[in-house]
Amino acid sequence: QPQSVTIVGAAGIGKTRLVTEFLTRVREKDRRVRSHRGIARENGPAFSVVQRLLKARFGILEGHDPEQLREQFRTKVSEILGDRRVTEFLHFLGAFLDLKFPESPFIKAVEDDPEQFGRIARAVLRRFVEVDAEKSPLILTFEDLHWATDDTLDLIEYLSAATKDAPVLFIHVARPELLARKPDWSLAGGAAHVRIELGPRGADDAATLMERLLSPVGEVPDELVETAVDMAGGSPYLLEQMVRTYAESRVIVAKGDGSWSVDLGKLDDAQLPLTMEDAITARIASLAPAERNLLEMAATMGGVFWL
């Protein structure tokens, strides 16, 4: 039966890490389970997170010949649906991927009504998920949903609530802003929808994590741990960034044998990140000019780019 899990937490709290660890353990336990992930982007187009997930499902790569992509898409959809008619499926499912197919009389009758076209398209997507899951269980992960458009959230909420009699796990990952926009989000799917809220690590857990991150030091000085725990505010991401900052400030120095030496005298001079934005800025500032130039161009091109 379909199940839904929504994981909510602030930036850097460990949402993606939790999902990644879970998916890794599932794959190790049962190779039949297939998982696909889509990530929403800030100011991205509508349904982009669904598009990314479908591209992962069908192995569609940017830059390929459109005709080749259509044929690849047609072949895979036909394999999944078997002897069922695929013409309408291709058109409505392909709309999420910006793939156009020759129109049937039925499609021509509804394409002039965007609202009706949208209802049919999402019903087709739901039915495709159900049929695909009949082959083997599916895990569909939608990440950073706080960036998704309202239309996208409505579609994903519909999938969680309307999918029936199929072994599908929907994982929704977002910051708390999602619940501010969609207070009833967790109600979609009823009792089969569980919400997990991740909070900052407590002081003891944060100290344990920091000691493990600094394990190459050997006996870790309390000053390194306490400073990092105080500055990071329980954020695992910022704790990791503190280790990078220690290294860049030469508070810790890697030795040839893989261990690290410590110079506490430089601790007061280290530029310690106060927020996640400060940590990211510090990482970018530490890049060589050529690396920073590559990063700027890559960010302009998007998730797929060529050197």
Side-chain angles (χ1 to χ4, degrees):
Q1 294 297 316
Q3 300 285 323
S4 298
V5 176
T6 294
I7 301 174
V8 180
I13 211 69
K15 301 183 296 296
T16 297
R17 177 62 179 269
L18 178 62
V19 172
T20 300
E21 293 286 345
F22 168 72
L23 294 177
T24 298
R25 296 185 186 189
V26 168
R27 282 192 292 267
E28 291 173 350
K29 184 177 180 180
D30 191 342
R31 292 290 181 178
R32 297 177 308 132
V33 178
R34 294 168 294 142
S35 65
H36 304 293
R37 301 170 83 163
I39 303 174
R41 302 296 186 193
E42 186 176 10
N43 299 321
F47 308 121
S48 60
V49 63
V50 177
Q51 183 182 78
R52 288 189 175 93
L53 190 145
L54 288 175
K55 283 183 175 180
R57 169 62 185 88
F58 292 107
I60 292 177
L61 301 176
E62 302 286 352
H64 281 197
D65 176 69
E67 186 58 39
Q68 180 183 351
L69 290 179
R70 279 193 292 269
E71 189 57 36
Q72 175 183 335
F73 182 66
R74 182 192 302 275
T75 299
K76 291 196 174 183
V77 171
S78 299
E79 290 174 353
I80 295 166
L81 298 180
D83 294 332
R84 301 176 179 90
R85 291 184 60 194
V86 299
T87 302
E88 284 77 16
F89 262 76
L90 289 173
H91 189 83
F92 289 105
L93 200 57
F96 292 108
L97 295 166
D98 295 328
L99 293 177
K100 298 186 181 300
F101 291 86
E103 299 170 350
S104 70
F106 170 74
I107 292 170
K108 289 182 179 180
V110 300
E111 68 174 358
D112 291 334
D113 186 342
E115 186 175 342
Q116 186 178 22
F117 188 95
R119 285 198 301 268
I120 296 174
R122 72 179 192 174
V124 166
L125 177 61
R126 172 190 58 79
R127 184 56 188 150
F128 172 78
V129 169
E130 292 171 345
V131 174
D132 194 23
E134 292 175 2
K135 309 291 183 182
S136 61
L138 278 177
I139 300 176
L140 304 180
T141 303
F142 302 91
E143 296 192 55
D144 289 346
L145 286 183
H146 49 278
W147 297 131
T149 64
D150 289 342
D151 287 345
T152 302
L153 293 178
D154 289 343
L155 173 61
I156 295 173
E157 193 173 23
Y158 164 79
L159 288 176
S160 297
T163 301
K164 304 295 182 185
D165 301 323
V168 184
L169 172 62
F170 298 98
I171 302 178
H172 313 128
V173 184
R175 297 179 192 171
E177 296 94 290
L178 171 67
L179 301 183
R181 290 170 57 192
K182 290 276 193 177
D184 297 331
W185 176 265
S186 301
L187 300 180
H193 193 160
V194 177
R195 187 170 85 193
I196 300 173
E197 296 196 30
L198 301 184
R201 301 301 88 201
D204 291 343
D205 286 340
T208 300
L209 175 56
M210 199 62 195
E211 289 171 356
R212 291 178 180 175
L213 290 172
L214 292 170
S215 59
V217 167
E219 187 171 342
V220 182
D222 291 340
E223 293 94 322
L224 288 187
V225 176
E226 292 170 359
T227 299
V229 170
D230 289 343
M231 298 294 287
S235 167
Y237 175 83
L238 284 183
L239 288 171
E240 291 183 341
Q241 293 304 310
M242 291 297 295
V243 177
R244 294 183 184 274
T245 301
Y246 285 158
E248 289 160 4
S249 303
R250 300 191 67 77
V251 175
I252 56 176
V253 178
K255 297 192 293 187
D257 62 359
S259 63
W260 296 345
S261 62
V262 178
D263 184 352
L264 292 178
K266 295 184 177 180
L267 184 58
D268 291 338
D269 298 328
Q271 297 296 314
L272 302 179
L274 298 177
T275 66
M276 183 164 302
E277 288 72 20
D278 291 337
I280 294 172
T281 299
R283 286 292 296 143
I284 294 175
S286 70
L287 297 175
E291 293 172 326
R292 196 157 52 246
N293 184 49
L294 173 62
L295 177 62
E296 289 174 357
M297 291 189 291
T300 301
M301 294 301 296
V304 177
F305 60 92
W306 292 262
L307 289 176

